[in-house]
């Protein structure tokens, strides 16, 4: 098994260790049955996430997480993906939900990675009852408990 995870922060302090984020990404990969992967996870500014959102998804404004999974160049080949987390958006969401920024950052790292793995969810209220959401929350609880 070869899981490579690279974590970067565009600017400022993250507020959670890179090791915890790496564990979260690896746990999401394992949950999806992935044994060979290269994942890049970047925590970015509102400006950067808004630009990515507009350029790649055609949406205006900021969002919390954007993921890109790339088709394999050969068979067998590792799963390759990029995950971008809007750091300021995540912190604001954490404040609004009354949870720690640390928890929300772990959640978004897991969420974005699950999308790269191939999970998806419906929009609206059904989102939080989807199989993806349930898997995400199990992983988040496990990672946070192990890193407490």
């Amino acid at each position: 098994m070869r899981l490579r995870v690279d974590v970067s922060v565009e600017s400022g302090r993250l507020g959670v260790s890179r090791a915890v984020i790496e564990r979260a990404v690896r746990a999401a990969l394992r949950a999806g049955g992935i044994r060979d992967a290269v994942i890049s996870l970047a925590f970015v500014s509102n400006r950067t996430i808004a630009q990515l959102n507009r350029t790649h998804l055609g949406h205006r404004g900021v969002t919390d997480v954007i993921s890109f999974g790339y088709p394999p160049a050969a068979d067998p080949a590792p799963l390759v993906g990029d995950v971008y987390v809007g750091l300021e958006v995540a912190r604001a969401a954490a404040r609004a939900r009354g949870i720690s920024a640390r928890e929300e950052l772990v959640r978004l790292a897991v969420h974005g990675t699950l999308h790269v793995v191939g999970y998806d969810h419906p929009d609206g209220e059904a989102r939080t009852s989807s199989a993806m959401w349930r898997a995400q929350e199990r992983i988040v609880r496990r990672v946070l408990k192990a890193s407490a």
Side-chain angles (χ1 to χ4, degrees):
M1 177 163 68
R2 194 183 120 239
L3 299 176
R4 179 173 174 183
V5 179
D6 294 312
V7 177
S8 65
V9 181
E10 190 173 71
S11 66
R13 289 199 57 194
L14 187 53
V16 60
S17 76
R18 290 173 193 239
V20 169
I21 295 298
E22 287 177 19
R23 277 196 298 274
V25 170
R26 289 172 190 274
L29 291 168
R30 284 191 303 273
I34 304 299
R35 296 180 163 293
D36 193 10
V38 178
I39 302 292
S40 169
L41 192 143
F43 292 93
V44 299
S45 68
N46 275 351
R47 181 177 180 206
T48 299
I49 201 79
Q51 183 178 10
L52 288 165
N53 202 17
R54 183 178 53 253
T55 302
H56 297 285
L57 301 177
H59 301 152
R60 296 183 61 93
V62 297
T63 190
D64 53 2
V65 63
I66 298 175
S67 301
F68 301 98
Y70 304 104
D75 190 31
L79 175 71
V80 177
D82 294 325
V83 178
Y84 298 89
V85 174
L87 187 54
E88 297 161 62
V89 176
R91 288 179 176 148
R95 281 191 300 275
R97 294 178 58 205
I99 62 172
S100 70
R102 179 177 187 264
E103 179 179 340
E104 187 66 5
L105 294 171
V106 167
R107 178 170 287 107
L108 292 174
V110 169
H111 188 90
T113 303
L114 288 174
H115 274 304
V116 170
V117 168
Y119 281 78
D120 205 359
H121 56 77
D123 291 329
E125 291 181 28
R127 177 181 182 161
T128 58
S129 62
S130 69
M132 178 181 174
W133 192 270
R134 289 190 309 272
Q136 166 191 295
E137 293 306 300
R138 277 192 307 273
I139 295 165
V140 169
R141 282 191 305 273
R142 203 173 329 128
V143 169
L144 291 174
K145 183 178 179 182
S147 64

